[in-house]
Amino acid sequence: GNFLLKTMSQKGDSRVLEYFLKPQLSPSVSGLTGFILGEQAALNPSLNPGKASPDALNQALGLNSKILLATMKGIESHHGLVSCDAIRNQILLTLGNSEKSCTEAQVLARILPLAFLPVYDIQLLNTVTDVAAMTHSTNDAVLCSCIYAEIIRQLAQGERNKRKAVEMAVITVGGRYSVAALGEQLDQILNSEKVENSGNIASTLILALYCFEKSKSFDSCIHMAAQDVAGDRKLISAVAGSFAGVYYKLHGRPIQDVSRYETVINGLD
């Protein structure tokens, strides 16, 4: 099973972030922490995300971060096996039925934990599709969710070329679906343009990638997403933070036993 999820289950939500902020973070914890820190920075621009205390973060978790934590608990309840019903039930329990008003872009908040499941790419894409379709089964929702998960996986496996990570993710998803259905948005994902923030899942992904690709550090990525993007920044900052968390490993903190992690993430013996 997943050590992170077991730890979360044992300690409960109130102590999750205390564990997140300990040194020697794995790619999965770095990505999840980056997501939460990114959303928190957008909710409270005066906060320095690199110096936020666990208590301060825990008291101010936004909707997206609560969905992320609920998804993790839904996975844990099935011992690492993904059950859409388990995830849905945990989200409904955590958010008081607010899943029914989940926007298309907020689908990304429940996709991130799936990127770290120890399964092959085709299994990952099928799982992401099913979990996205819990509320949204449009082409944009499914394709952007799959591309997001694959970019995270590429970065977690050690890809240091940001653009190549995106290109490889699109190629992988393109082996399962017709990514051409994204149209002009596909070019904007591949070239991470600063587009208008329309609030949909594609513009959220594009703007998060824009901030990530232009960044030089975790903090600079969060600052750009929280300060320089127009409109609702909460999810864009969270998604950008998840990319930056994995890539920069949160201020350069080392990853323990990278080779073992890469073996697990690929579903190999």
Side-chain angles (χ1 to χ4, degrees):
N2 188 303
F3 176 70
L4 168 63
L5 298 179
K6 286 183 178 178
T7 302
M8 186 188 70
S9 176
Q10 291 164 1
K11 292 186 176 181
D13 284 352
S14 64
R15 297 183 63 193
V16 171
L17 293 172
E18 180 182 347
Y19 174 73
F20 277 173
L21 296 176
K22 287 182 179 179
Q24 309 257 326
L25 300 182
S26 70
S28 57
V29 185
S30 296
L32 297 165
T33 309
F35 185 100
I36 293 172
L37 289 173
E39 183 174 36
Q40 173 58 18
L43 289 169
N44 184 0
S46 64
L47 179 71
N48 180 338
K51 297 182 179 178
S53 71
D55 286 343
L57 286 169
N58 199 46
Q59 290 169 7
L61 286 178
L63 175 63
N64 303 311
S65 293
K66 289 178 180 176
I67 292 174
L68 179 144
L69 293 175
T71 301
M72 291 166 62
K73 290 192 75 171
I75 294 172
E76 164 63 15
S77 69
H78 273 56
H79 308 290
L81 299 175
V82 177
S83 160
C84 293
D85 285 341
I87 292 174
R88 178 183 288 107
N89 291 341
Q90 190 60 54
I91 289 173
L92 292 176
L93 180 66
T94 303
L95 304 181
N97 293 318
S98 64
E99 184 213 21
K100 294 177 180 177
S101 60
C102 174
T103 66
E104 183 184 63
Q106 285 172 341
V107 170
L108 295 174
R110 62 176 182 258
I111 295 303
L112 177 57
L114 306 180
F116 301 103
L117 292 172
V119 295
Y120 290 107
D121 284 323
I122 189 64
Q123 294 170 298
L124 173 66
L125 297 181
N126 288 340
T127 300
V128 168
T129 299
D130 290 344
V131 173
M134 282 166 47
T135 53
H136 295 81
S137 56
T138 64
N139 275 336
D140 279 8
V142 169
L143 292 174
C144 288
S145 294
C146 287
I147 291 171
Y148 174 47
E150 282 292 343
I151 293 171
I152 290 290
R153 176 166 284 199
Q154 290 289 328
L155 297 174
Q157 291 178 353
E159 178 57 64
R160 302 308 295 165
N161 184 316
K162 297 175 182 178
R163 180 161 296 223
K164 184 178 177 183
V166 177
E167 291 172 350
M168 292 302 298
V170 169
I171 289 171
T172 300
V173 176
R176 173 73 172 80
Y177 296 112
S178 174
V179 291
L182 283 169
E184 182 183 349
Q185 294 169 327
L186 180 60
D187 289 334
Q188 293 167 340
I189 289 170
L190 289 167
N191 296 296
S192 62
E193 298 178 23
K194 190 173 183 180
V195 299
E196 179 182 351
N197 181 6
S198 60
N200 62 24
I201 194 168
S203 69
T204 296
L205 181 60
I206 293 163
L207 285 167
L209 283 170
Y210 172 82
C211 295
F212 171 56
E213 289 206 13
K214 299 294 183 185
S215 68
K216 301 296 184 184
S217 67
F218 178 82
D219 282 348
S220 71
C221 180
I222 295 302
H223 177 82
M224 196 181 311
Q227 304 292 334
D228 298 344
V229 173
D232 186 349
R233 302 177 181 92
K234 294 189 296 295
L235 188 58
I236 293 170
S237 297
V239 173
S242 66
F243 292 136
V246 174
Y247 186 81
Y248 297 112
K249 304 174 186 66
L250 288 179
H251 315 288
R253 297 177 190 181
I255 294 176
Q256 288 181 312
D257 204 353
V258 175
S259 61
R260 179 178 178 277
Y261 176 78
E262 289 178 348
T263 299
V264 172
I265 204 70
N266 281 300
L268 303 174
D269 292 330

